[in-house]
Amino acid sequence: MNRRGEQEEENAAELKLGSDFRGPNVDCLWNSEVVLFLETFQKAHEEADADIEMTQVFNKTFTYVKRFSRFKNKETIHEVRRQMSRRNQLDDFEVSALSNLCPETAEEAKALIPSLSAKFTEEELDGILNDLRNYSTMGA
């Protein structure tokens, strides 16, 4: 809601993501980061020797993010985030979407993330996608 108490329209294509996605301490997570969080949680759970089994939702989520995780270690994730943050035109949501969706071409990226169309030429976007691909093979 805005200051007048009116409901704000959310629209990811225009980067209107709502109040849950705004703020200095809010980051959009990558599948690769979620894997690290869930691995840490699972390890702590196992070390606690808890008799409670992980829920079906946890297991399915963990399986999904592992399958679609592009970067395999914390160092690579931090480096890619650092490099992508240098591209001032990219919003955090756009970087996360590129990382999670793994588009192969600039055309596919623009179709999946419409806000990129106004910011980048096909050649510029292809360069960003190539950088992401290089990092994903480096961290494998």
Side-chain angles (χ1 to χ4, degrees), residues 34-40 42 56-67:
V34 175
V35 168
L36 296 177
F37 293 139
L38 295 181
E39 283 175 343
T40 301
Q42 186 177 46
Q56 185 177 11
V57 171
F58 177 92
N59 291 328
K60 285 184 176 185
T61 302
F62 197 25
T63 300
Y64 175 88
V65 292
K66 280 197 303 190
R67 180 176 179 198

Side-chain angles (χ1 to χ4, degrees), residues 9 13 18 21 25-26 33 40 50 83 85 89 103-104 112 131:
E9 182 180 336
F21 291 92
N25 298 322
V26 177
E33 293 170 314
T40 301
Q83 291 297 327
S85 71
Q89 291 177 303
E104 292 292 320
L112 293 170
D131 289 347

Side-chain angles (χ1 to χ4, degrees), residues 6 42 47 61 66 81 86 107 111:
E6 300 167 338
Q42 186 177 46
E47 288 174 358
T61 302
K66 280 197 303 190
R81 266 207 185 269
R86 289 184 174 171
E107 182 180 353

Side-chain angles (χ1 to χ4, degrees), residues 8-95:
E8 292 181 62
E9 182 180 336
E10 295 178 10
N11 184 339
E14 297 174 7
L15 297 178
K16 295 179 182 177
L17 303 175
S19 60
D20 290 340
F21 291 92
R22 281 189 241 133
N25 298 322
V26 177
D27 290 322
C28 294
L29 294 177
W30 301 3
N31 290 336
S32 303
E33 293 170 314
V34 175
V35 168
L36 296 177
F37 293 139
L38 295 181
E39 283 175 343
T40 301
F41 180 81
Q42 186 177 46
K43 184 177 179 182
H45 183 75
E46 290 169 357
E47 288 174 358
D49 223 9
D51 288 335
I52 303 169
E53 289 190 36
M54 302 307 270
T55 67
Q56 185 177 11
V57 171
F58 177 92
N59 291 328
K60 285 184 176 185
T61 302
F62 197 25
T63 300
Y64 175 88
V65 292
K66 280 197 303 190
R67 180 176 179 198
F68 294 104
S69 177
R70 183 177 234 183
F71 308 106
K72 303 302 178 196
N73 62 58
K74 188 187 303 187
E75 293 77 22
T76 302
I77 294 167
H78 287 301
E79 180 61 20
V80 176
R81 266 207 185 269
R82 192 174 68 74
Q83 291 297 327
M84 291 295 115
S85 71
R86 289 184 174 171
R87 298 177 185 267
N88 295 332
Q89 291 177 303
L90 278 172
D91 181 82
D92 186 47
F93 172 79
E94 294 167 327
V95 174

Side-chain angles (χ1 to χ4, degrees), residues 93-137:
F93 172 79
E94 294 167 327
V95 174
S96 296
L98 287 170
S99 171
N100 291 339
L101 298 171
C102 308
E104 292 292 320
T105 65
E107 182 180 353
E108 183 181 7
K110 288 179 178 183
L112 293 170
I113 312 160
S115 60
L116 296 174
S117 295
K119 295 180 176 184
F120 300 101
T121 65
E122 298 247 340
E123 294 77 25
E124 292 170 327
L125 199 47
D126 278 331
I128 292 169
L129 296 175
N130 283 331
D131 289 347
L132 287 171
R133 273 191 291 280
N134 289 338
Y135 278 111
S136 68
T137 58

